[in-house]
Amino acid sequence: MTTRLKNYIDGQFVDSASTRTIDVVNPADETVVALSPVSTAEEVAGAVAAAVRAADTWGRTTPGVRQKALLDLADAIEARADDLVAAQVRNTGQLAAMVKAEEILVGADQIRFFAGAARLLEGRAGGEYMEGFTSYVRREPIGTVGQVTPWNYPFMMAVWKIAPALAAGNTLVLKPSDTTPESTLLLAELAGDVLPAGVFNVVLGDATTGAALVENPALGLVAITGSVRAGIAVAQAAAADVRRAHLELGGKAPAVVFGDADLAKAAEGIAQAAFFNGGQDCTAATRALVHDSVYDEFVAALTAQANTLRPGAPDDEDAFYGALNNVHHFTAVMTRLESLPAHATVETGGHRIGDRGFYVAPTVITGVRQDDPIVQEETFGPIITVQRFTTEDEAVALANGVNYGLASSVWTTDHGTATRMSAAIDAGCVWINCHIPLVAEMPHGGFKNSGYGKDLSVYGLEDYTRIKHVMSAHD
């Protein structure tokens, strides 16, 4: 009998009263592994009410108390790492080794960062800025926040949302993707052992559930990692009654390769950044922009690298990435490949692998034009396009000539070129001679349609706080 999943509300798992369910499918073999309820608006409201009740107590705890809870949660995550991997892989089809190394263990480390950051909130120095008065700044929790996470890195994205919110003293209700709920539910179970009831709640469901969450007026902030379309809906819901929104949306990252770059290193690094996690990464290298003098050599090197990186089953130790997450996304990616313009050339890949599981070959496409949909629109699959440029100004124009601005990379051995390009590229992150590494201490977030607000770093923590000026008269 297929397991029916439960919501986690007010410190316990509870059955949903909803008669609607969603099949949770393993993308590696297309089997149904669980049934997830489509939680009702009333159940979402109940979860928010539980978080609101817990907010007064949790928001008044000292940073040291919150630090201890987060450190204990990080320890619990490491102790249950294999269980978390198993829960996630059966929902995502990702490589098990990658999930453990890059999400579970890294996620525990990121929680430890926010545990420490909770005790280092900053503000202006208290002092006499007007004669006869002393002013100081209080940085306070917002209260209760609603959060929506995606399916590409379910555990890590949940950590990015909950860790700064909890460290700042907020309570929360989180809705994971309908295709990947299980690792988030296990995270909630572990958190339940170290957090008071109601501080961390999880509701399951589809877009209607998410809408019921972000529209709840009791939330002081709503946050999402997801598509531009979903981000706009969240921002509109928040704007209706002047609540804050935190949006980490899509990307279409350029990797700009100059003629003096180490081409072997660039081809290897860009290929890995393009195909890591099957390209299901908003920071993935999706557009290689290559100087005309080395274009042919680079295309050959990139194609050769792509041919060494193949998808495989979660336990395949020789595979580089797993299946695409779900049948709808798989169909969208294949449709995009099947509708390429006549002037585009598929150098390698462009096809499905096998007849069971949502596997797509690593794909390199040349001959594309700047206004092609494959260049302009996020595909979120193992696909990279290659375009030529001749001048630095042209490279900047191509790099910035999309609606996204999340991440980018520049490949050159010239310091001046790297410095100028890092200033000129309109993206929240510019990597130099690398692409895709992230660290907890540095901010992650974009410009333009890639959203606003930061994950990770003290900037991410500050996004979950509000600032109050207190002024006291001396007499």
Side-chain angles (χ1 to χ4, degrees):
M1 182 176 179
T2 304
T3 301
R4 180 181 167 113
L5 304 177
K6 300 180 180 182
N7 292 323
Y8 187 81
I9 300 174
D10 209 10
Q12 59 185 340
F13 286 100
V14 292
D15 285 310
S16 170
S18 175
T19 58
R20 296 176 58 207
T21 59
I22 300 166
D23 289 347
V24 180
V25 175
N26 185 336
D29 59 17
E30 302 181 49
T31 59
V32 176
V33 295
L35 295 177
S36 178
V38 179
S39 298
T40 65
E42 292 76 16
E43 289 167 331
V44 172
V48 173
V52 169
R53 288 193 300 270
D56 185 62
T57 301
W58 181 250
R60 294 179 185 274
T61 55
T62 64
V65 169
R66 299 196 294 272
Q67 180 191 48
K68 176 64 165 57
L70 289 172
L71 291 174
D72 288 346
L73 177 57
D75 290 344
I77 287 167
E78 288 183 340
R80 295 287 298 277
D82 290 340
D83 294 334
L84 285 161
V85 170
Q88 179 151 310
V89 164
R90 62 177 171 259
N91 292 179
T92 63
Q94 294 170 292
L95 301 181
M98 187 279 288
V99 171
K100 185 171 185 177
E102 301 294 338
E103 289 199 56
I104 309 305
L105 299 183
V106 168
D109 177 71
Q110 290 166 345
I111 288 173
R112 290 191 178 105
F113 167 80
F114 283 109
R119 303 184 76 161
L120 289 172
L121 289 173
E122 295 182 352
R124 299 294 182 189
E128 290 66 50
Y129 298 95
M130 179 182 290
E131 186 175 351
F133 298 87
T134 296
S135 290
Y136 65 93
V137 168
R138 288 179 55 86
R139 189 177 286 277
E140 302 176 341
I142 293 169
T144 298
V145 301
Q147 303 176 320
V148 179
T149 52
W151 45 252
N152 59 327
Y153 297 108
F155 182 84
M156 185 166 64
M157 294 297 96
V159 166
W160 284 17
K161 289 290 180 282
I162 73 165
L166 294 172
N170 299 284
T171 60
L172 60 95
V173 180
L174 186 149
K175 191 201 87 67
S177 169
D178 54 4
T179 66
T180 59
E182 291 194 76
S183 61
T184 302
L185 289 174
L186 182 49
L187 175 62
E189 178 185 327
L190 299 178
D193 292 333
V194 300
L195 297 172
V199 171
F200 178 17
N201 308 272
V202 177
V203 291
L204 306 178
D206 60 9
T208 63
T209 312
L213 175 60
V214 300
E215 291 169 3
N216 192 300
L219 301 173
L221 178 146
V222 288
I224 183 173
T225 296
S227 67
V228 173
R229 174 189 54 78
I232 291 172
V234 167
Q236 289 173 334
D241 46 10
V242 200
R243 291 174 295 128
R244 291 165 61 177
H246 186 282
L247 311 177
E248 200 281 277
L249 309 178
K252 196 68 181 174
V256 185
V257 182
F258 284 89
D260 62 354
D262 181 331
L263 292 188
K265 179 180 178 181
E268 180 180 14
I270 292 170
Q272 291 179 358
F275 305 128
F276 185 76
N277 203 39
Q280 299 171 126
D281 189 312
C282 52
T283 66
T286 61
R287 300 182 293 134
L289 310 177
V290 185
H291 192 270
D292 188 69
S293 64
V294 293
Y295 178 87
D296 291 337
E297 183 181 354
F298 179 82
V299 168
L302 181 66
T303 302
Q305 285 291 328
N307 289 333
T308 69
L309 306 175
R310 64 172 182 80
D315 60 353
D316 186 341
E317 296 180 356
D318 296 324
F320 186 69
Y321 60 90
L324 298 191
N325 179 257
N326 59 78
V327 65
H328 303 293
H329 180 55
F330 171 76
T331 300
V333 170
M334 294 308 300
T335 299
R336 178 59 55 83
L337 289 171
E338 291 161 2
S339 59
L340 290 172
H343 54 261
T345 299
V346 176
E347 300 289 340
T348 189
H351 57 84
R352 180 179 189 171
I353 293 180
D355 55 9
R356 190 165 183 80
F358 307 131
Y359 294 101
V360 176
T363 302
V364 176
I365 303 171
T366 59
V368 295
R369 299 169 184 166
Q370 185 71 5
D371 60 353
D372 288 339
I374 194 70
V375 172
Q376 290 292 321
E377 299 171 9
E378 187 174 43
T379 304
F380 227 53
I383 300 167
I384 185 168
T385 60
V386 191
Q387 296 169 264
R388 297 176 186 263
F389 71 86
T390 55
T391 68
E392 190 172 308
D393 287 344
E394 185 183 2
V396 171
L398 291 173
N400 292 342
V402 298
N403 290 329
Y404 298 96
L406 182 60
S408 62
S409 61
V410 176
W411 301 77
T412 179
T413 56
D414 183 87
H415 177 74
T417 300
T419 302
R420 290 190 302 273
M421 291 297 293
S422 66
I425 292 179
D426 196 12
C429 176
V430 181
W431 284 292
I432 307 298
N433 293 324
C434 58
H435 193 123
I436 229 166
L438 294 169
V439 292
E441 294 83 357
M442 290 291 116
H444 173 81
F447 308 147
K448 302 191 289 189
N449 280 7
S450 292
Y452 49 81
K454 297 297 182 184
D455 290 321
L456 302 176
S457 80
V458 294
Y459 299 102
L461 179 62
E462 290 175 356
D463 280 352
Y464 285 92
T465 67
R466 64 184 188 180
I467 297 172
K468 178 185 291 182
H469 168 218
V470 179
M471 177 179 272
S472 177
H474 293 177
D475 296 326

